[in-house]
Amino acid sequence: MVVIGVRPQVIKAAPIIKLLDKDPNVDFLLIHSGQHYDYEMSKVFFQELDLPDPFANLDVKGGSHAEQTAKIMLRLEKILLETKPEVVVVFGDANTTAASALAAVKSKIPVAHVEAGLRSWDMRMPEEINRVLTDHISQVLYAPTKFAVEQLLREGIQENLIYLSGDTMYDAILSHRENIERTDILDKLGVEKEEYLVVTSHRAENVDDRTNLRNIVRALVELSKHVKIVFPIHPRTLNRLKEFGYFDLLGERKNIILSKPVGYFEMLRLIRDAIAVLTDSGGIQKEAFILGTPCVTMRTRTEWIETIKLGGNVLVGANKDRIVSEVLRIINDPNNIKRKLREVENPYGNGDASKKIVIDLKKRLGEGALKVGLLPVNIKEFIE
Ligand code: UD1
Ligand code: UDP
Protein backbone atom coordinates (compact mmCIF):
# COMPACT_ATOMS: atom_id res chain seq x y z
CA MET A 1 0.00 0.00 0.00
CA VAL A 2 1.22 3.46 -0.92
CA VAL A 3 -0.24 6.43 0.98
CA ILE A 4 0.07 9.97 -0.36
CA GLY A 5 -1.89 13.15 0.27
CA VAL A 6 -0.02 16.40 -0.40
CA ARG A 7 1.26 17.89 -3.66
CA PRO A 8 4.95 16.96 -3.36
CA GLN A 9 4.05 13.40 -2.34
CA VAL A 10 2.09 12.81 -5.54
CA ILE A 11 5.20 13.90 -7.43
CA LYS A 12 7.84 12.01 -5.44
CA ALA A 13 5.73 8.85 -5.25
CA ALA A 14 4.74 8.89 -8.94
CA PRO A 15 7.68 6.87 -10.34
CA ILE A 16 7.21 4.23 -7.62
CA ILE A 17 3.43 4.09 -8.12
CA LYS A 18 3.95 3.51 -11.85
CA LEU A 19 6.36 0.63 -11.22
CA LEU A 20 4.13 -1.03 -8.63
CA ASP A 21 0.96 -0.55 -10.65
CA LYS A 22 2.31 -2.33 -13.70
CA ASP A 23 4.06 -5.16 -11.83
CA PRO A 24 2.04 -8.38 -12.32
CA ASN A 25 3.58 -9.83 -9.15
CA VAL A 26 2.41 -7.01 -6.92
CA ASP A 27 -1.07 -6.43 -5.51
CA PHE A 28 -1.01 -2.71 -5.19
CA LEU A 29 -3.31 -0.29 -3.33
CA LEU A 30 -2.99 3.46 -3.61
CA ILE A 31 -4.56 5.57 -0.85
CA HIS A 32 -4.97 9.37 -0.96
CA SER A 33 -5.40 11.02 2.42
CA GLY A 34 -7.17 14.00 0.87
CA GLN A 35 -4.92 16.41 2.81
CA HIS A 36 -4.60 18.35 -0.45
CA TYR A 37 -7.81 18.43 -2.42
CA ASP A 38 -7.96 21.36 -4.86
CA TYR A 39 -7.61 20.37 -8.51
CA GLU A 40 -4.35 22.36 -8.79
CA MET A 41 -2.91 20.72 -5.64
CA SER A 42 -3.61 17.08 -6.48
CA LYS A 43 -5.68 15.88 -9.44
CA VAL A 44 -3.64 17.85 -11.98
CA PHE A 45 -0.58 15.75 -11.07
CA PHE A 46 -2.51 12.49 -11.41
CA GLN A 47 -3.42 13.59 -14.94
CA GLU A 48 0.01 14.86 -15.94
CA LEU A 49 1.84 11.87 -14.51
CA ASP A 50 -0.79 9.40 -15.69
CA LEU A 51 -1.36 7.85 -12.26
CA PRO A 52 -4.12 5.37 -11.42
CA ASP A 53 -7.11 6.55 -9.39
CA PRO A 54 -6.65 5.90 -5.68
CA PHE A 55 -8.41 2.88 -4.19
CA ALA A 56 -9.69 5.20 -1.46
CA ASN A 57 -9.60 8.87 -0.53
CA LEU A 58 -9.66 9.55 3.21
CA ASP A 59 -10.99 13.04 2.55
CA VAL A 60 -9.34 14.66 5.58
CA LYS A 61 -8.91 18.16 4.07
CA GLY A 62 -7.56 20.99 6.28
CA GLY A 63 -7.72 21.42 10.05
CA SER A 64 -5.34 21.56 12.99
CA HIS A 65 -2.40 19.18 13.14
CA ALA A 66 -4.16 16.96 15.65
CA GLU A 67 -7.32 16.93 13.56
CA GLN A 68 -5.55 16.01 10.32
CA THR A 69 -3.34 13.41 11.99
CA ALA A 70 -6.18 11.83 13.95
CA LYS A 71 -8.56 11.71 10.98
CA ILE A 72 -5.94 10.05 8.78
CA MET A 73 -5.13 7.51 11.49
CA LEU A 74 -8.76 6.61 12.15
CA ARG A 75 -9.74 6.35 8.52
CA LEU A 76 -6.59 4.57 7.38
CA GLU A 77 -6.70 2.09 10.26
CA LYS A 78 -10.09 0.88 9.07
CA ILE A 79 -8.76 0.24 5.56
CA LEU A 80 -5.60 -1.40 6.93
CA LEU A 81 -7.68 -3.85 8.93
CA GLU A 82 -9.86 -4.63 5.93
CA THR A 83 -7.11 -4.95 3.32
CA LYS A 84 -4.16 -6.18 5.43
CA PRO A 85 -1.28 -4.93 3.28
CA GLU A 86 2.16 -6.47 3.74
CA VAL A 87 3.80 -3.05 3.85
CA VAL A 88 2.74 0.60 3.85
CA VAL A 89 4.98 2.96 1.90
CA VAL A 90 5.01 6.60 3.04
CA PHE A 91 6.84 9.61 1.61
CA GLY A 92 8.52 12.71 2.94
CA ASP A 93 7.43 14.64 6.00
CA ALA A 94 3.80 15.75 5.86
CA ASN A 95 1.09 14.96 8.40
CA THR A 96 -0.05 12.29 5.93
CA THR A 97 3.38 10.63 6.31
CA ALA A 98 3.53 10.46 10.09
CA ALA A 99 -0.16 9.64 10.59
CA SER A 100 -0.08 6.78 8.07
CA ALA A 101 3.15 5.39 9.50
CA LEU A 102 1.72 5.45 13.03
CA ALA A 103 -1.56 3.83 12.01
CA ALA A 104 0.30 1.09 10.12
CA VAL A 105 2.98 0.23 12.65
CA LYS A 106 0.42 0.13 15.47
CA SER A 107 -1.57 -2.33 13.37
CA LYS A 108 1.67 -4.40 13.18
CA ILE A 109 2.03 -3.58 9.49
CA PRO A 110 5.61 -2.70 8.45
CA VAL A 111 6.34 0.81 7.18
CA ALA A 112 8.73 1.81 4.42
CA HIS A 113 9.78 5.47 4.55
CA VAL A 114 10.91 7.06 1.30
CA GLU A 115 13.01 10.22 1.75
CA ALA A 116 14.24 9.14 5.17
CA GLY A 117 17.03 10.73 7.18
CA LEU A 118 16.52 14.39 6.32
CA ARG A 119 16.78 16.88 9.14
CA SER A 120 16.48 20.62 9.60
CA TRP A 121 17.12 20.31 13.35
CA ASP A 122 14.27 22.74 13.87
CA MET A 123 11.51 21.25 15.98
CA ARG A 124 9.31 24.30 15.37
CA MET A 125 8.69 22.86 11.92
CA PRO A 126 5.83 20.35 11.90
CA GLU A 127 7.72 18.57 9.12
CA GLU A 128 10.73 17.94 11.39
CA ILE A 129 8.50 16.25 13.95
CA ASN A 130 6.95 14.13 11.21
CA ARG A 131 10.35 13.10 9.80
CA VAL A 132 11.92 12.13 13.11
CA LEU A 133 8.83 10.23 14.19
CA THR A 134 8.42 8.37 10.90
CA ASP A 135 12.10 7.41 10.65
CA HIS A 136 12.11 5.95 14.14
CA ILE A 137 9.05 3.75 13.66
CA SER A 138 9.79 2.51 10.11
CA GLN A 139 10.96 -1.00 9.24
CA VAL A 140 12.89 0.09 6.15
CA LEU A 141 14.26 3.57 5.43
CA TYR A 142 15.08 4.74 1.90
CA ALA A 143 17.58 7.59 2.19
CA PRO A 144 18.03 9.95 -0.78
CA THR A 145 21.60 11.00 0.04
CA LYS A 146 24.72 9.76 1.81
CA PHE A 147 24.27 12.49 4.40
CA ALA A 148 20.78 11.17 5.20
CA VAL A 149 22.20 7.68 5.73
CA GLU A 150 24.85 9.05 8.08
CA GLN A 151 22.25 11.00 10.02
CA LEU A 152 20.09 7.90 10.54
CA LEU A 153 23.12 6.00 11.80
CA ARG A 154 23.96 8.88 14.16
CA GLU A 155 20.44 8.54 15.56
CA GLY A 156 21.01 4.87 16.29
CA ILE A 157 18.84 3.39 13.54
CA GLN A 158 20.00 -0.12 12.67
CA GLU A 159 22.18 -0.14 9.59
CA ASN A 160 20.35 -3.04 7.92
CA LEU A 161 17.09 -1.04 7.90
CA ILE A 162 18.69 1.77 5.87
CA TYR A 163 19.09 1.76 2.10
CA LEU A 164 20.76 4.53 0.08
CA SER A 165 18.39 4.78 -2.86
CA GLY A 166 18.91 8.24 -4.35
CA ASP A 167 16.08 10.69 -4.74
CA THR A 168 12.83 9.82 -6.51
CA MET A 169 12.20 13.49 -7.38
CA TYR A 170 15.36 13.35 -9.45
CA ASP A 171 13.98 10.27 -11.25
CA ALA A 172 10.77 12.20 -11.93
CA ILE A 173 12.59 15.19 -13.44
CA LEU A 174 14.69 13.00 -15.69
CA SER A 175 11.72 11.15 -17.08
CA HIS A 176 9.89 14.36 -18.01
CA ARG A 177 12.53 16.36 -19.88
CA GLU A 178 10.35 16.45 -23.02
CA ASN A 179 7.20 17.44 -21.17
CA ILE A 180 9.11 20.29 -19.52
CA GLU A 181 10.21 21.46 -22.95
CA ARG A 182 6.69 21.25 -24.37
CA THR A 183 4.80 23.47 -21.91
CA ASP A 184 3.85 26.99 -22.99
CA ILE A 185 3.77 28.44 -19.47
CA LEU A 186 6.27 31.20 -20.25
CA ASP A 187 4.07 32.49 -23.10
CA LYS A 188 0.95 32.10 -20.98
CA LEU A 189 2.43 34.25 -18.21
CA GLY A 190 4.07 36.68 -20.62
CA VAL A 191 7.69 36.17 -19.55
CA GLU A 192 10.86 35.20 -21.37
CA LYS A 193 13.70 32.88 -20.46
CA GLU A 194 16.04 34.28 -17.79
CA GLU A 195 14.20 37.58 -17.37
CA TYR A 196 12.13 36.59 -14.34
CA LEU A 197 12.37 35.38 -10.77
CA VAL A 198 10.07 32.50 -9.80
CA VAL A 199 8.77 32.59 -6.23
CA THR A 200 6.92 30.11 -4.02
CA SER A 201 6.17 30.31 -0.33
CA HIS A 202 3.95 28.20 1.88
CA ARG A 203 5.87 27.29 5.03
CA ALA A 204 3.55 27.85 7.98
CA GLU A 205 6.34 29.61 9.92
CA ASN A 206 6.60 32.16 7.09
CA VAL A 207 3.09 32.74 5.83
CA ASP A 208 1.06 32.27 9.03
CA ASP A 209 3.29 34.82 10.77
CA ARG A 210 2.14 38.35 9.96
CA THR A 211 5.64 39.88 10.31
CA ASN A 212 7.39 37.24 8.24
CA LEU A 213 4.77 37.40 5.51
CA ARG A 214 5.00 41.21 5.46
CA ASN A 215 8.79 40.99 5.10
CA ILE A 216 8.43 38.62 2.18
CA VAL A 217 5.80 40.80 0.49
CA ARG A 218 7.94 43.92 0.96
CA ALA A 219 10.94 42.12 -0.47
CA LEU A 220 8.93 41.12 -3.55
CA VAL A 221 7.69 44.68 -4.05
CA GLU A 222 11.28 45.93 -3.84
CA LEU A 223 12.60 43.24 -6.19
CA SER A 224 9.85 43.95 -8.72
CA LYS A 225 11.62 47.26 -9.45
CA HIS A 226 14.49 45.19 -10.88
CA VAL A 227 13.00 42.00 -12.30
CA LYS A 228 9.73 40.38 -13.34
CA ILE A 229 8.38 38.05 -10.69
CA VAL A 230 6.23 34.97 -11.28
CA PHE A 231 4.46 33.85 -8.12
CA PRO A 232 2.20 30.76 -8.22
CA ILE A 233 0.40 31.01 -4.89
CA HIS A 234 -0.20 28.05 -2.55
CA PRO A 235 -3.74 28.09 -1.07
CA ARG A 236 -2.45 28.54 2.50
CA THR A 237 -0.53 31.61 1.36
CA LEU A 238 -3.43 33.03 -0.63
CA ASN A 239 -5.63 32.80 2.48
CA ARG A 240 -3.05 34.58 4.63
CA LEU A 241 -2.24 37.28 2.06
CA LYS A 242 -5.94 38.13 1.96
CA GLU A 243 -6.48 37.84 5.71
CA PHE A 244 -3.50 40.10 6.54
CA GLY A 245 -4.41 42.58 3.78
CA TYR A 246 -1.21 42.12 1.71
CA PHE A 247 -2.72 40.63 -1.44
CA ASP A 248 -3.41 43.95 -3.19
CA LEU A 249 0.15 45.18 -2.50
CA LEU A 250 1.35 42.39 -4.78
CA GLY A 251 -1.57 42.46 -7.20
CA GLU A 252 -1.12 46.11 -8.11
CA ARG A 253 2.55 45.81 -9.14
CA LYS A 254 2.94 45.57 -12.90
CA ASN A 255 6.04 43.36 -12.68
CA ILE A 256 4.50 40.82 -10.31
CA ILE A 257 2.60 38.05 -12.08
CA LEU A 258 0.37 36.18 -9.66
CA SER A 259 -1.11 32.83 -10.56
CA LYS A 260 -2.85 29.81 -9.09
CA PRO A 261 -0.53 26.89 -8.37
CA VAL A 262 0.75 25.65 -11.72
CA GLY A 263 1.13 22.10 -13.06
CA TYR A 264 4.28 20.04 -12.45
CA PHE A 265 5.75 20.34 -15.95
CA GLU A 266 4.94 24.05 -15.91
CA MET A 267 6.66 24.50 -12.56
CA LEU A 268 9.78 22.66 -13.67
CA ARG A 269 9.90 24.80 -16.81
CA LEU A 270 9.47 27.98 -14.76
CA ILE A 271 12.31 26.87 -12.48
CA ARG A 272 14.59 25.81 -15.33
CA ASP A 273 14.21 29.05 -17.27
CA ALA A 274 14.20 31.51 -14.36
CA ILE A 275 17.12 33.77 -13.62
CA ALA A 276 16.73 32.64 -10.00
CA VAL A 277 14.32 30.85 -7.67
CA LEU A 278 13.11 32.34 -4.38
CA THR A 279 11.33 29.77 -2.23
CA ASP A 280 10.72 28.15 1.12
CA SER A 281 9.72 24.84 -0.46
CA GLY A 282 11.78 21.72 0.18
CA GLY A 283 11.26 20.13 -3.21
CA ILE A 284 11.82 23.31 -5.18
CA GLN A 285 15.26 23.94 -3.61
CA LYS A 286 16.28 20.56 -4.93
CA GLU A 287 14.63 20.98 -8.32
CA ALA A 288 16.37 24.34 -8.80
CA PHE A 289 19.68 22.69 -8.01
CA ILE A 290 19.07 19.79 -10.39
CA LEU A 291 17.87 22.10 -13.18
CA GLY A 292 20.87 24.40 -12.69
CA THR A 293 19.09 27.55 -11.48
CA PRO A 294 20.42 29.48 -8.47
CA CYS A 295 18.12 29.35 -5.44
CA VAL A 296 17.54 31.73 -2.51
CA THR A 297 15.73 30.01 0.34
CA MET A 298 13.53 31.94 2.76
CA ARG A 299 14.36 29.73 5.73
CA THR A 300 17.09 29.67 8.35
CA ARG A 301 17.72 25.93 8.02
CA THR A 302 17.37 23.42 5.22
CA GLU A 303 17.32 19.66 5.11
CA TRP A 304 18.75 19.76 1.56
CA ILE A 305 22.19 20.79 2.73
CA GLU A 306 23.98 19.57 -0.41
CA THR A 307 22.38 22.40 -2.37
CA ILE A 308 24.10 24.90 -0.06
CA LYS A 309 27.38 23.04 0.22
CA LEU A 310 27.70 22.79 -3.56
CA GLY A 311 27.00 26.49 -4.07
CA GLY A 312 23.50 26.41 -5.60
CA ASN A 313 21.46 27.69 -2.69
CA VAL A 314 21.63 30.28 0.06
CA LEU A 315 19.54 30.70 3.23
CA VAL A 316 18.11 34.14 3.96
CA GLY A 317 15.21 33.51 6.37
CA ALA A 318 12.20 35.82 6.12
CA ASN A 319 14.51 38.82 6.28
CA LYS A 320 13.55 41.50 3.74
CA ASP A 321 17.03 42.97 3.27
CA ARG A 322 18.70 39.57 2.97
CA ILE A 323 16.11 38.37 0.45
CA VAL A 324 16.57 41.46 -1.69
CA SER A 325 20.36 41.55 -1.53
CA GLU A 326 20.86 37.84 -2.28
CA VAL A 327 18.44 37.85 -5.21
CA LEU A 328 20.04 41.01 -6.63
CA ARG A 329 23.48 39.47 -6.23
CA ILE A 330 22.39 36.59 -8.46
CA ILE A 331 20.57 38.78 -10.95
CA ASN A 332 23.68 40.89 -11.35
CA ASP A 333 25.88 37.87 -11.99
CA PRO A 334 23.67 34.91 -12.94
CA ASN A 335 26.19 32.99 -15.02
CA ASN A 336 28.64 32.63 -12.20
CA ILE A 337 26.42 30.27 -10.18
CA LYS A 338 24.91 28.61 -13.25
CA ARG A 339 28.40 27.69 -14.44
CA LYS A 340 29.28 26.31 -11.02
CA LEU A 341 26.10 24.24 -10.95
CA ARG A 342 26.88 22.69 -14.31
CA GLU A 343 30.18 21.44 -12.94
CA VAL A 344 29.13 19.89 -9.62
CA GLU A 345 28.40 16.23 -9.09
CA ASN A 346 24.74 15.43 -8.51
CA PRO A 347 24.27 14.12 -4.95
CA TYR A 348 20.74 12.77 -5.62
CA GLY A 349 21.60 9.47 -7.29
CA ASN A 350 21.46 8.17 -10.85
CA GLY A 351 17.78 8.57 -11.68
CA ASP A 352 17.01 5.00 -10.70
CA ALA A 353 16.02 5.52 -7.07
CA SER A 354 12.44 4.36 -7.64
CA LYS A 355 13.54 1.19 -9.39
CA LYS A 356 16.02 0.42 -6.59
CA ILE A 357 13.37 1.01 -3.94
CA VAL A 358 10.85 -1.32 -5.58
CA ILE A 359 13.47 -4.06 -6.06
CA ASP A 360 14.69 -3.76 -2.48
CA LEU A 361 11.18 -3.69 -1.07
CA LYS A 362 10.19 -6.84 -2.95
CA LYS A 363 13.40 -8.55 -1.85
CA ARG A 364 12.80 -7.71 1.81
CA LEU A 365 9.19 -8.86 1.56
CA GLY A 366 10.24 -12.07 -0.19
CA GLU A 367 12.76 -12.80 2.56
CA GLY A 368 10.23 -12.07 5.30
CA ALA A 369 12.58 -9.33 6.50
CA LEU A 370 9.92 -6.68 7.10
CA LYS A 371 8.47 -7.26 10.55
CA VAL A 372 7.14 -5.10 13.33
CA GLY A 373 8.90 -7.04 16.06
CA LEU A 374 11.81 -7.25 18.44
CA LEU A 375 14.83 -5.12 17.61
CA PRO A 376 18.22 -6.78 18.02
CA VAL A 377 19.66 -5.57 21.28
CA ASN A 378 21.91 -7.09 23.91
CA ILE A 379 19.92 -6.39 27.06
CA LYS A 380 22.69 -7.92 29.19
CA GLU A 381 24.93 -5.02 28.19
CA PHE A 382 22.57 -2.61 29.95
CA ILE A 383 22.16 -4.72 33.06
CA GLU A 384 25.76 -5.65 33.77
C1 UD1 B 1 1.56 20.59 3.70
C2 UD1 B 1 2.66 19.91 4.49
C3 UD1 B 1 4.01 20.50 4.09
C4 UD1 B 1 4.21 20.47 2.60
C5 UD1 B 1 3.03 21.10 1.89
C6 UD1 B 1 3.19 20.93 0.42
C7 UD1 B 1 2.13 19.23 6.79
C8 UD1 B 1 2.32 19.54 8.22
N1 UD1 B 1 2.52 20.15 5.93
O1 UD1 B 1 1.52 21.95 4.09
O2 UD1 B 1 5.04 19.76 4.70
O3 UD1 B 1 5.37 21.20 2.30
O4 UD1 B 1 1.83 20.46 2.31
O5 UD1 B 1 2.48 21.85 -0.31
O6 UD1 B 1 1.66 18.17 6.45
N2 UD1 B 1 -5.61 24.18 1.20
C9 UD1 B 1 -6.57 24.35 0.24
N3 UD1 B 1 -6.61 23.42 -0.77
C10 UD1 B 1 -5.77 22.38 -0.86
C11 UD1 B 1 -4.79 22.23 0.14
C12 UD1 B 1 -4.73 23.14 1.17
O7 UD1 B 1 -7.36 25.28 0.27
O8 UD1 B 1 -5.87 21.58 -1.81
C13 UD1 B 1 -5.55 25.20 2.29
C14 UD1 B 1 -6.48 24.87 3.45
O9 UD1 B 1 -6.95 26.08 3.98
C15 UD1 B 1 -5.55 24.22 4.44
C16 UD1 B 1 -4.26 25.01 4.21
O10 UD1 B 1 -4.23 25.26 2.81
O11 UD1 B 1 -6.01 24.33 5.77
C17 UD1 B 1 -3.01 24.28 4.61
O12 UD1 B 1 -2.97 22.97 4.05
P1 UD1 B 1 -2.20 21.80 4.81
O13 UD1 B 1 -2.23 20.57 4.00
O14 UD1 B 1 -2.68 21.70 6.22
O15 UD1 B 1 -0.73 22.34 4.92
P2 UD1 B 1 0.26 22.85 3.80
O16 UD1 B 1 0.67 24.23 4.13
O17 UD1 B 1 -0.30 22.60 2.46
N1 UDP C 1 4.92 22.50 -7.64
C1 UDP C 1 4.05 22.55 -8.72
N2 UDP C 1 3.31 23.68 -8.90
C2 UDP C 1 3.40 24.77 -8.07
C3 UDP C 1 4.30 24.71 -6.98
C4 UDP C 1 5.04 23.54 -6.77
O1 UDP C 1 3.95 21.60 -9.48
O2 UDP C 1 2.69 25.77 -8.30
C5 UDP C 1 5.72 21.27 -7.42
C6 UDP C 1 7.21 21.52 -7.39
O3 UDP C 1 7.75 21.51 -8.69
C7 UDP C 1 7.69 20.35 -6.53
C8 UDP C 1 6.59 20.19 -5.52
O4 UDP C 1 5.43 20.78 -6.13
O5 UDP C 1 7.79 19.17 -7.30
C9 UDP C 1 6.94 20.93 -4.26
O6 UDP C 1 5.82 21.03 -3.46
P1 UDP C 1 5.69 22.09 -2.29
O7 UDP C 1 6.58 23.24 -2.53
O8 UDP C 1 4.24 22.34 -2.13
O9 UDP C 1 6.10 21.24 -1.00
P2 UDP C 1 7.49 20.89 -0.27
O10 UDP C 1 8.41 20.34 -1.27
O11 UDP C 1 7.97 22.14 0.39
O12 UDP C 1 7.07 19.89 0.76
Side-chain angles (χ1 to χ4, degrees):
M1 176 184 287
V2 164
V3 187
I4 53 177
V6 295
R7 167 167 73 186
Q9 289 175 332
V10 184
I11 292 163
K12 61 188 82 167
I16 292 183
I17 294 173
K18 301 277 269 200
L19 289 171
L20 293 175
D21 192 42
K22 71 173 187 214
D23 189 329
N25 298 316
V26 173
D27 272 337
F28 167 60
L29 281 183
L30 176 62
I31 307 290
H32 196 307
S33 72
Q35 184 177 340
H36 283 180
Y37 46 93
D38 289 347
Y39 172 81
E40 299 82 19
M41 297 299 286
S42 176
K43 181 90 183 178
V44 64
F45 305 114
F46 278 74
Q47 289 173 346
E48 287 185 293
L49 302 170
D50 192 24
L51 298 178
D53 287 337
F55 169 77
N57 190 315
L58 309 179
D59 203 23
V60 302
K61 298 221 161 90
S64 71
H65 286 277
E67 257 178 286
Q68 269 179 348
T69 309
K71 276 188 195 161
I72 295 171
M73 286 186 70
L74 283 169
R75 294 175 191 177
L76 185 64
E77 184 184 54
K78 203 160 162 274
I79 300 178
L80 291 171
L81 295 176
E82 281 162 15
T83 59
K84 299 192 172 47
E86 280 177 278
V87 61
V88 172
V89 188
V90 300
F91 295 80
D93 53 21
N95 287 345
T96 294
T97 319
S100 311
L102 256 180
V105 76
K106 291 213 170 192
S107 306
K108 311 276 185 302
I109 297 169
V111 174
H113 186 203
V114 176
E115 210 178 85
L118 299 175
R119 297 291 180 266
S120 63
W121 297 278
D122 181 353
M123 291 301 273
R124 294 167 302 182
M125 285 182 78
E127 291 83 3
E128 185 73 356
I129 300 168
N130 292 336
R131 289 181 201 119
V132 172
L133 175 69
T134 307
D135 282 343
H136 283 262
I137 59 175
S138 290
Q139 281 59 53
V140 55
L141 297 93
Y142 294 108
T145 60
K146 280 196 200 124
F147 188 81
V149 171
E150 287 158 11
Q151 180 57 27
L152 292 169
L153 292 173
R154 276 193 286 274
E155 291 180 20
I157 307 247
Q158 276 175 73
E159 195 171 353
N160 64 334
L161 304 187
I162 306 168
Y163 182 98
L164 174 61
S165 57
D167 192 294
T168 64
M169 278 183 119
Y170 180 49
D171 301 3
I173 295 181
L174 287 187
S175 55
H176 294 295
R177 293 261 183 216
E178 280 174 27
N179 291 319
I180 301 172
E181 201 60 58
R182 265 202 292 270
T183 100
D184 59 354
I185 187 71
L186 267 57
D187 290 343
K188 264 207 274 191
L189 297 177
V191 288
E192 283 180 28
K193 193 173 159 119
E194 300 200 348
E195 71 157 6
Y196 66 91
L197 172 74
V198 63
V199 179
T200 79
S201 179
H202 71 277
R203 290 261 87 80
E205 56 275 24
N206 277 344
V207 305
D208 288 0
D209 181 301
R210 192 184 280 271
T211 310
N212 285 347
L213 187 58
R214 191 182 57 219
N215 289 344
I216 292 170
V217 167
R218 288 175 59 213
L220 295 183
V221 168
E222 180 63 30
L223 285 167
S224 72
K225 295 174 192 158
H226 305 268
V227 66
K228 286 191 185 174
I229 297 176
V230 172
F231 186 8
I233 308 181
H234 186 288
R236 175 193 285 277
T237 312
L238 184 63
N239 292 340
R240 294 296 170 266
L241 285 169
K242 290 188 170 159
E243 182 186 328
F244 298 153
Y246 301 148
F247 187 77
D248 291 342
L249 277 178
L250 295 175
E252 65 203 16
R253 306 295 302 194
K254 181 168 102 328
N255 258 357
I256 301 183
I257 301 146
L258 302 177
S259 99
K260 282 185 161 189
V262 295
Y264 175 56
F265 304 143
E266 293 178 333
M267 191 66 211
L268 291 180
R269 179 64 180 270
L270 282 172
I271 295 170
R272 192 196 75 181
D273 287 355
I275 193 160
V277 171
L278 175 65
T279 193
D280 57 21
S281 157
I284 290 176
Q285 291 173 61
K286 202 172 33 178
E287 288 169 342
F289 180 85
I290 292 166
L291 293 167
T293 304
C295 185
V296 175
T297 297
M298 297 182 284
R299 289 174 49 184
T300 50
R301 299 265 175 98
T302 179
E303 52 287 352
W304 298 107
I305 49 153
E306 298 79 11
T307 60
I308 308 262
K309 209 166 146 189
L310 297 170
N313 190 8
V314 56
L315 298 174
V316 294
N319 177 317
K320 183 205 158 214
D321 294 340
R322 292 266 296 138
I323 296 172
V324 172
S325 66
E326 284 302 323
V327 172
L328 288 182
R329 192 176 59 81
I330 295 170
I331 289 176
N332 292 328
D333 188 13
N335 291 326
N336 185 11
I337 301 177
K338 288 208 168 191
R339 199 171 337 102
K340 237 193 266 166
L341 283 176
R342 272 198 298 272
E343 285 159 11
V344 296
E345 204 185 316
N346 169 21
Y348 298 116
N350 308 312
D352 57 359
S354 317
K355 221 182 273 168
K356 283 183 175 158
I357 289 171
V358 170
I359 292 172
D360 181 77
L361 200 53
K362 285 170 71 175
K363 182 163 160 277
R364 284 176 199 256
L365 283 171
E367 290 167 352
L370 287 184
K371 284 211 172 63
V372 179
L374 294 176
L375 298 173
V377 65
N378 185 359
I379 297 285
K380 273 192 187 162
E381 227 177 74
F382 303 132
I383 303 170
E384 283 162 7

